Amino acid sequence: MCGIGVFVNCEPDDRTIKALKNRGPDFYHQETFNVVGQSVTVVATVLSHQGEGIISQPIVTDDFIFLWNGEVYDHPRYQPQEGGDTNWFFDNVGSQITGENATGIEIMKEIRGEFAFCTINRKTGEISFGRDRLGRRSLLLYSFENKFILASSSSGYHFIELPADGLYSFNLKMMDKLKRHPFAANTKVDGHMLDEFLFSNLNENMLAIEGIKDGKLHSLPVENVQGSLTSDLWNFEQNFDGSCTNDWLPELEIVFKKAVERRVKLRKGSVGVLFSGGLDCSLVVAQVLEIFEGQRELATTVYLYSVAFGDNEEKCEKCPDRITAVAAFQEITEAHPTADLILVKENISKQELQKTRDERIKHLISPRISVLDDSIGSALYFAAHSEVGSDCRLLLSGLGADELFCGYSCHRRVHDREGLDALGLEVQTHIERIAERNCGRDDRVISDSGREYRMPFLDLDLISFSSSIPIPARCDLTKPRGEGEKMLLRQLAYKKGLKTISSFEKRAIQFGSRIVKMEDKKVKGNDICANLQK
Ligand SMILES: Nc1ncnc2c1ncn2[C@@H]1O[C@H](COP(=O)(O)OP(=O)(O)OP(=O)(O)O)[C@@H](O)[C@H]1O
């Protein structure tokens, strides 16, 4: 994982550099180039997980500048090599992505892994960039007059999150419009396929939506390149079939194991899991431990980071997520008595929350601004930034399980009111908008810890396989909570010896961690968050 930044006709401010350095504590480089008459400053920081030593960035040739933030776990042409995925990527893809040349993009589509990238053609001034189909790595965009910025993490500008709706290119000679190679999609997602991006020049009150009308606006038109980017790996089409005669569990077990294995194999340092004690993250922990038992050379300590909000230890211990974390830790330990497992309790007071939010969190959450962004972003920030486990450089979470296996209360609502077909569409929508709802924000707040964030349930093979399972085999929403939603995952947990955990009810992070209760807010999740605007 890395921090990448490209600053055309402007220089990065200190806060942006610090944010990028936090993401990549192993290496930092900043250099300014003249590209087709424009000043282009690139910043690259690295958190190394692949290859011998540390692979520096950016990769610069006479023709190209290439910045890569992500992991290639698997690709038909990829063999993990000495130079890691950065060098491989450059050899195979970077030199081929030039504007409308689709070859590079064709290779990119087959990457199993998460990424954001940027390639600058020094001869033509064509700059190509994008996030993977699920937006698992953040990339922010800002443009004003002749200034153009891309950065993994935020600063004092009015950035927008680059939508994960396609791969983009922009010509630094013309600076007139963006081109989008759109990803194929089955649902309409807010903020996707816009035909222009709007930016403001206001700098001081960066989160004040109201303020924009007083500042100048800059608009960049976006033009779609004909034909959309499709790939079997990116096919999230849901199986609406009502009949479910197969036993899906054995294959799910294999696909889930592979998804976790990919993510714990290519790494340096030990492993942590963001741990609520809920079904999803517990399954991830159990799978990691099984893999470690089978492949001792991969095994390390596994830290389980549990965050709870309250003004003293007693209150934190009563948080629903802390209660389940303690219970789940015990059950997992009983199932894996030889595992080197440490439960790390992060107790956060209101004072600490407010101070850290003002100093750090709100900048990382930016440009997201809702109450939900604040609650989830802050909880994940504290879980990820624990000082315990200084050798832990990788964090896993259970994100994605609810989307695929119908864990949310809205799934139940849609099912009860509109039936199975509508539920299938709801599942599809949840997956296609996860970049905007979760992934960008979560990547920024978590990766700021200098630990890389990976989500096994958002593995492309796992999504593809799960999507092929008829909805009634994934959940049975005629059954009560704690039983019907994520039914197939509950069976998997039971099979893995997590009997109590398999019947835990789903609980949203903002309630389970009690961050909402501590702040005593009478606001709705989608409201603009006053705390982020201060
Ligand atoms: N209090 C917490 N402390 C640390 N990490 C958390 C906490 N709450 C949630 N997370 C992380 O966020 C992920 C998503 O949360 P979510 O509530 O959807 O899943 P879960 O708690 O694992 O399972 P369930 O959805 O069944 O409750 C979790 O899998 C976990 O990795």
Side-chain angles (χ1 to χ4, degrees), residues 48 50-51 72 74 93 111 148 151 208 242 291 404 406 503-504 516 526:
S48 171
Q50 292 199 44
V72 179
D74 207 351
V93 188
I111 292 175
F148 182 86
I291 292 166
L404 287 167
C406 310
S503 60
F504 280 169
V516 169
N526 289 330

Side-chain angles (χ1 to χ4, degrees), residues 134-234:
L134 295 162
R136 288 164 291 177
R137 289 287 173 265
S138 161
L139 195 58
L140 303 175
L141 174 66
Y142 177 76
S143 175
F144 207 84
E145 293 166 352
N146 72 338
K147 299 179 178 58
F148 182 86
I149 307 177
L150 286 169
S152 308
S153 212
S154 58
S155 74
Y157 294 94
H158 279 283
F159 280 98
I160 62 164
E161 262 180 1
L162 183 75
D165 59 354
L167 302 178
Y168 285 81
S169 57
F170 184 63
N171 194 289
L172 295 178
K173 234 187 238 168
M174 322 294 249
M175 298 201 103
D176 56 346
K177 62 171 184 259
L178 286 162
K179 283 191 198 151
R180 181 198 293 119
H181 301 258
F183 296 143
N186 291 311
T187 62
K188 192 165 163 23
V189 175
D190 282 351
H192 275 197
M193 300 300 163
L194 297 176
D195 53 17
E196 70 171 348
F197 291 154
L198 270 184
F199 307 90
S200 154
N201 69 338
L202 274 188
N203 204 357
E204 53 292 344
N205 190 7
M206 65 177 187
L207 293 163
I209 295 293
E210 290 295 308
I212 286 180
K213 65 178 183 294
D214 302 319
K216 276 195 197 161
L217 288 181
H218 178 71
S219 151
L220 259 191
V222 187
E223 193 179 275
N224 272 344
V225 173
Q226 282 297 316
S228 47
L229 298 171
T230 50
S231 157
D232 285 346
L233 272 182
W234 293 350

